[in-house]
Amino acid sequence: MLARHLAGPDNVTIVQFHPAYSYEDFFEGFRPTPRSDGQVGFELKPGPMRRLTDRARKHPDQLFVLVVDEINRGNLAKIFGELYFLLEYRDEAIDLMYSSGDAEPFTLPRNVVIIGTMNTADRSIALVDTAMRRRFGFAALLPAQGPTKSVLRRWLTARKYPQRVADLHLALNAAIDDPGFQIGPSYFMRPAVRSDGGLAQVFRQRGYPVARGIFASVIAPWISKPDTALLLWRSA
């Protein structure tokens, strides 16, 4: 939403990092290409980052945004390669890994913005290293703090839905001391929640698995009989 607000939907590219993702997937790399003689050759193909920067260079008056989902799931040094340098020094130029000898050094256009998202609550994922931390600003979006805290309530208001789901969401997170493990609003921002038994299903299939093993004792009363828990909360 933020990226589309800044640049418009046509100027936003979304990628998702994972352990197998590489520089060749992200920026550019040689890919098998069929030749006219029936043989297979290799051709340098651009990845999403290269395509976005090429477009940005052609339209310097427009903003372009690359959204990297799950940025801390990938091997950042392997994926960014020499682009690490350009993230910090936008006015510099650098030779690319697969550039030919007569190619112009590459620069990262100033009208390209990179937004990375990560879930620090997942302890199986290593946090972003210091080198990357120097190159990004960090903003925590915690469920019980602004601006995230009001998202669900505003979503319900816009659709003229009752506020009881937002109240329940607030009460649930109040029982979880660690802000990093509180339940986000997106689980409740779906029409299925308003169907018969939909709220109970969200608790069993979405909310509880996220917190299970971390706050099991807190969540247990809500998951055992979520419909009853809702009624008890409303009468409290």
Side-chain angles (χ1 to χ4, degrees):
M1 294 293 292
L2 175 61
R4 293 188 178 98
H5 174 74
L6 292 172
D10 295 335
N11 289 357
V12 175
T13 297
I14 302 175
V15 298
Q16 186 179 68
F17 283 3
H18 51 78
Y21 205 70
S22 69
Y23 176 93
E24 290 76 12
D25 299 314
F26 180 60
F27 192 73
E28 64 180 4
F30 285 95
R31 301 295 186 192
T33 305
R35 302 191 314 204
S36 57
D37 60 0
Q39 300 298 312
V40 176
F42 288 87
E43 185 177 342
L44 189 62
K45 296 286 188 179
M49 179 65 172
R50 184 63 192 256
R51 292 193 295 269
L52 186 74
T53 55
D54 288 347
R55 288 183 58 208
R57 212 178 303 280
K58 294 177 182 177
H59 304 281
D61 58 326
Q62 300 178 26
L63 186 68
F64 291 80
V65 179
L66 176 73
V67 178
V68 182
D69 186 37
E70 304 281 8
I71 191 171
N72 57 334
R73 282 189 178 273
N75 183 333
L76 299 182
K78 172 185 174 183
I79 294 170
F80 279 93
E82 65 274 6
L83 300 179
Y84 248 25
F85 177 81
L86 297 179
L87 290 177
E88 189 167 6
Y89 303 104
R90 285 291 185 102
D91 295 327
E92 300 293 331
I94 196 169
D95 292 329
L96 296 173
M97 185 187 304
Y98 294 115
S99 295
S100 57
D102 57 351
E104 289 287 328
F106 179 81
T107 59
L108 187 61
R110 283 196 166 274
N111 58 328
V112 171
V113 174
I114 300 176
I115 299 176
T117 67
M118 55 189 256
N119 182 5
T120 56
D122 189 343
R123 294 181 177 176
S124 66
I125 302 172
L127 296 179
V128 175
D129 63 23
T130 304
M132 185 58 76
R133 284 180 177 274
R134 292 202 315 267
R135 291 159 169 83
F136 280 85
F138 284 75
L141 298 175
L142 301 173
Q145 297 180 14
T148 316
K149 182 178 180 179
S150 63
V151 167
L152 177 58
R153 199 171 295 280
R154 288 189 280 112
W155 185 85
L156 294 168
T157 300
R159 287 156 182 79
K160 296 181 171 55
Y161 291 163
Q163 295 291 318
R164 67 188 185 99
V165 174
D167 295 335
L168 176 62
H169 176 237
L170 186 64
L172 174 61
N173 279 335
I176 302 175
D177 293 332
D178 190 335
F181 293 99
Q182 291 174 340
I183 306 300
S186 61
Y187 295 114
F188 305 95
M189 296 170 63
R190 56 193 71 199
V193 173
R194 290 189 45 77
S195 63
D196 186 28
L199 182 58
Q201 185 176 5
V202 167
F203 270 110
R204 290 192 179 97
Q205 297 183 357
R206 300 283 185 170
Y208 181 61
V210 172
R212 183 175 51 197
I214 303 171
F215 293 104
S217 61
V218 172
I219 303 298
W222 301 84
I223 187 59
S224 59
K225 295 183 179 179
D227 291 323
T228 303
L230 175 59
L231 291 173
L232 290 174
W233 173 83
R234 290 182 65 189
S235 62

